[in-house]
Amino acid sequence: MVTVEEELGRAVQGAFTRPVPKSAGARMRYLVRRHQGSTQQVADLLGISRRTVERYVKDQIKHPRPQLAARLEGEVRTRWQPHVRARARQKAATTDGIMIDIQARFGYTAAAGSTDQSRIRHLTLALPPHHAARLLDAQAAGMDEDQLLQLTAEALGETYFRDNGRRAHGLEVELTDLLDLQFRL
C-alpha cells in the first residue's frame, strides 16, 4: 500500500546529486562515518554484532542477508546527503511548491442540494508552497499517516476543489482508498 510519508521521502530523494552507495561494504562504511567511527552504534542501529560491522567495513563479508540488506539500505537512504535534502525541502516550502499525482476515492461534505457521493478521481496538480511546507513539516515532525493524509486532503480541497476560495465554499474533502500517489519537488 502506498503511503504519504514514503512518497514524500521518495520525492526528496529525487533531489540527490550523487547516487546512494550500492555495495554492502560502502553502505556500512558510510554509516560508520556518520556515527563518528563507532561500529558499536551502527551495530546497535542494525541489530547485528560489532564484529559483523567490522567485517563488512573491511569487505570480508559482501552479501548480507535480505533482512539486513533492506535495513542497511533504509538507514543509508534516510541519512544520505542531508544538506541536499534540506535545500530541496526549503525550496519546495518557499518558492516551488510540490507536484502531486494522486488516484484515490474522494468524498465530500457540502451544502444541501449537492451530491456527497464519493468517487475515484485521478488528479495531477501543483500544490502551492504553503501546502508543501505544511506537508513536509508534518512529515519531519513525525505525524502519523492519517494526519498526513488529512493534510493532503485539505491541500487538494483548497487548491483543486475550492479553487483557492473562488468556488465551492464550505466544501470539505475526505480522502479515502488511496490507490496511487506520487510527489515531485
Side-chain angles (χ1 to χ4, degrees):
M1 183 170 142
V2 67
T3 65
V4 176
E5 183 174 0
E6 288 175 3
E7 290 302 319
L8 281 172
R10 205 171 278 132
V12 171
Q13 289 174 9
F16 289 163
T17 58
R18 293 187 334 236
V20 178
K22 300 257 188 265
S23 72
R27 288 177 176 174
M28 201 65 78
R29 284 188 289 276
Y30 174 75
L31 285 177
V32 170
R33 271 194 316 273
R34 292 287 296 166
H35 288 90
Q36 288 84 31
S38 173
T39 54
Q40 185 61 50
Q41 286 180 356
V42 174
D44 293 342
L45 178 72
L46 297 172
I48 56 177
S49 71
R50 191 178 125 239
R51 181 68 186 125
T52 303
V53 171
E54 292 168 356
R55 288 193 300 233
Y56 276 108
V57 167
K58 294 178 183 176
D59 280 330
Q60 293 173 345
I61 304 175
K62 296 189 188 245
H63 303 290
R65 298 180 322 267
Q67 274 185 327
L68 178 59
R71 275 197 317 263
L72 185 59
E73 181 179 3
E75 294 298 333
V76 169
R77 281 194 180 278
T78 60
R79 289 166 176 76
W80 187 248
Q81 293 190 328
H83 298 297
V84 172
R85 185 186 309 261
R87 268 196 314 267
R89 286 175 171 272
Q90 182 66 26
K91 189 175 178 185
T94 57
T95 58
D96 289 353
I98 194 168
M99 286 293 295
I100 184 171
D101 183 0
I102 187 169
Q103 185 174 5
R105 182 174 301 278
F106 289 92
Y108 314 96
T109 305
S114 64
T115 180
D116 62 351
Q117 184 176 0
S118 65
R119 61 179 175 229
I120 294 177
R121 288 183 183 247
H122 182 216
L123 304 174
T124 302
L125 64 139
L127 295 179
H130 66 278
H131 287 299
R134 285 181 63 199
L135 279 169
L136 292 170
D137 290 344
Q139 181 201 24
M143 284 192 163
D144 67 352
E145 184 62 24
D146 291 335
Q147 292 169 320
L148 288 171
L149 203 57
Q150 179 62 33
L151 284 175
T152 304
E154 289 172 11
L156 290 170
E158 181 181 327
T159 305
Y160 179 77
F161 294 101
R162 291 190 298 272
D163 196 16
N164 294 318
R166 289 189 277 267
R167 62 185 170 108
H169 303 287
L171 178 76
E172 293 298 321
V173 178
E174 290 180 13
L175 185 60
T176 58
D177 298 336
L178 189 60
L179 304 174
D180 188 30
L181 175 66
Q182 291 179 354
F183 290 104
R184 285 187 306 278
L185 299 181

